[in-house]
Amino acid sequence: MDPAEATRKRARPRRRRRAAAGPDLLSALPDCLLHAIMSSLKARQAVQTCVLSTRWRDLWRSVPCLDIDLDEFRAETVAVWTADAECSISDHSIASSVGADSFGSSDDSSDSDDSSSGSDVNSSDSENDDISDSDLDSSDSSSSSSSSDDDDDSKKNKQWEDWKKFEDFTMNLMACCNIAQLDSFRLHIGRCKGSKAPPTSFRQRQAAGCLRRAMKYCAPDPPGQCKVLRSGSWRLKRLHLGHVRLDDRFAKHISSVCLSLEDLELQDCSCRIRSVTSDSLKNLVLRNCTLRNLSEIASPSLKTLVIDGGANANDCVLDILTPAVTYLHLAVNFLRFQGSISTNEMPSLVKTSIDFHDYKDTWSEDNKLGGVQFKILCSVSNATSLELSGLGKKVLSKERTFQEFTNLRNLFLGSCDLSNNFRTLEFFLQSSPNLEKLTLHRCKFPAHPKKKKGKLKLVATSSSEFHGFDFMCENLKVEIIYKDVDARKLVKLLLHAAGNLSKNNITLTKVN
């Protein structure tokens, strides 16, 4: 071959490989849109986006919403990026990117001081707090020394290893991302199933330690930024915590530092808090929380209040002082709230849902529980929509009771006991002149004599049974959903008591 020809062949430029996927339009989006996308991801996934390209390398540091969840670190739910070694982010890489000024490495002594100052909080739970760091080390060493063929020990080691990874990741991430400057923060450690999992009390304390360090070291105002709020106040608007141990220091931080906080949700938390007060809070949700000495929920701006499950110990009366609430949901075992619940007048109330299922019929009529039911009903008399479940027949005393529900338009009674000759139903119908829709869902009606074949016998209703039972509700529509009761007597009673109520406005639905 001619040397000149060979040189020309070597000099021929290479063909560019055709791009397989086209241009990267996602990375071309502005930071604000990418942050909105990353805010919908769990925290670990958000951090893992740093390997996509140099464009994404530092975006996770300024994400406005963080969702740290232990489920991301469980063996059965780990992210699917493990197939590619380049797409896996180690927790140590985050730690190394933080630098020596991270509070995670220098806060051991100060955090121990915080723990000692909070000894009064944890002392009452000594029966559940018998796990220390030394116990953890010994547990790990003993399990690691066992045979690798032992499935139980391997599961135990794996669960502890998953927890350690979660803890290291959380500590380092919270050092990189300033919680005080976030819009939303969620920390949820979930439930670990099985006896081989880290104890709940241990995990709650560790999560509380992470939160306590953030409260102590996170700077509220970034350098060079105009301070709209007063110095020292957080910008955080939404805070959701799950399975975290909280005390009065947390409550004080909420009221004095989190001046922009609007949504607070606590789930399965252990709370030794005396009061929850805030001038900015709009939504408060307490789900299955173990409360100790909670005596006050006070917020002039609160719009939504949900207390679902849980308990409040030590005979402490819980006073709810929220005049601006528009939605109230109470679904608790009132017997576990030993000091009961007291609510103030709520003039702005629109919708109310209360579950009384835990009241027992074995209580006498003069018992204070019946009084609590009626007091709660009186406090929500301004509602336009009222849902009551499990209401007992002894909610009213023997004396005739008067209470006006002038704004009430929709009334839902679910699984309520109306076997007291419909006295409870009579109370609502006579007290609600503007009622438009009445729904009775699988309620208990008065018993009727039965024939020998077991069929219900409809007894002719005398005029004496209708004495005093009259109401005037224009355009009232009634829906009766029943299973194994005879609703014909109730229909006859309603038609007799309301002169303007027709059969066309009464719907009967039988369910299995």
Side-chain angles (χ1 to χ4, degrees), residues 363-374:
W363 296 89
S364 60
E365 291 189 7
D366 56 350
N367 189 277
K368 69 175 183 178
L369 287 179
V372 171
Q373 291 185 77
F374 184 71

Side-chain angles (χ1 to χ4, degrees), residues 445 456-458 485-493 508:
F445 296 160
L456 291 174
K457 180 181 179 181
L458 182 61
V485 298
D486 191 351
R488 289 175 292 175
K489 181 179 179 180
L490 176 58
V491 173
K492 188 174 182 180
L493 181 63
L508 294 176

Side-chain angles (χ1 to χ4, degrees), residues 477-478 495 501-507:
K477 294 183 179 180
V478 181
L495 292 175
L501 183 64
S502 65
K503 290 184 178 180
N504 294 333
N505 288 344
I506 302 179
T507 304

Side-chain angles (χ1 to χ4, degrees), residues 60-214:
W60 62 273
R61 292 177 177 271
S62 53
V63 66
C65 303
L66 279 183
D67 186 351
I68 307 177
D69 199 326
L70 177 61
D71 287 340
E72 277 200 287
F73 294 82
R74 300 188 193 278
E76 63 273 13
T77 58
V78 169
V80 297
W81 290 28
T82 54
D84 189 352
E86 293 181 358
C87 294
S88 61
I89 306 300
S90 65
D91 300 328
H92 298 288
S93 65
I94 301 179
S96 61
S97 65
V98 177
D101 56 346
S102 135
F103 67 75
S105 59
S106 61
D107 188 41
D108 294 338
S109 60
S110 60
D111 187 47
S112 62
D113 297 338
D114 289 343
S115 300
S116 62
S117 63
S119 59
D120 58 333
V121 174
N122 299 330
S123 60
S124 62
D125 300 327
S126 59
E127 66 275 11
N128 296 324
D129 298 346
D130 53 353
I131 302 297
S132 62
D133 293 337
S134 60
D135 296 331
L136 175 60
D137 296 336
S138 62
S139 174
D140 292 337
S141 60
S142 61
S143 60
S144 60
S145 62
S146 61
S147 174
S148 60
D149 296 334
D150 191 341
D151 293 339
D152 292 339
D153 289 344
S154 62
K155 289 181 180 179
K156 182 177 181 179
N157 289 334
K158 183 60 180 175
Q159 289 175 336
W160 279 104
E161 183 180 348
D162 293 343
W163 168 257
K164 288 181 177 180
K165 289 181 179 179
F166 167 78
E167 188 178 16
D168 291 341
F169 176 86
T170 303
M171 289 287 298
N172 293 320
L173 181 63
M174 292 174 67
C176 296
C177 300
N178 194 341
I179 298 178
Q181 299 170 18
L182 294 178
D183 289 335
S184 175
F185 177 68
R186 179 179 181 269
L187 175 61
H188 198 279
I189 66 174
R191 295 184 182 273
C192 291
K193 299 180 180 180
S195 59
K196 305 299 181 182
T200 300
S201 58
F202 170 78
R203 292 183 289 112
Q204 287 181 343
R205 288 201 309 272
Q206 296 299 98
C210 294
L211 183 63
R212 188 166 56 248
R213 283 185 287 272

Side-chain angles (χ1 to χ4, degrees), residues 194-267:
S195 59
K196 305 299 181 182
T200 300
S201 58
F202 170 78
R203 292 183 289 112
Q204 287 181 343
R205 288 201 309 272
Q206 296 299 98
C210 294
L211 183 63
R212 188 166 56 248
R213 283 185 287 272
M215 290 164 51
K216 186 174 182 179
Y217 290 99
C218 285
D221 302 303
Q225 181 170 334
C226 179
K227 300 180 180 180
V228 180
L229 301 173
R230 77 185 188 194
S231 179
S233 61
W234 282 22
R235 301 167 56 88
L236 191 67
K237 294 182 179 179
R238 291 173 293 275
L239 177 60
H240 294 185
L241 302 176
H243 295 85
V244 181
R245 178 164 295 179
L246 306 172
D247 56 18
D248 271 334
R249 287 172 293 179
F250 170 78
K252 183 178 180 181
H253 192 81
I254 293 297
S255 60
S256 61
V257 179
C258 298
L259 302 182
S260 298
L261 189 64
E262 297 180 357
D263 299 325
L264 175 61
E265 180 174 346
L266 306 180
Q267 180 176 351

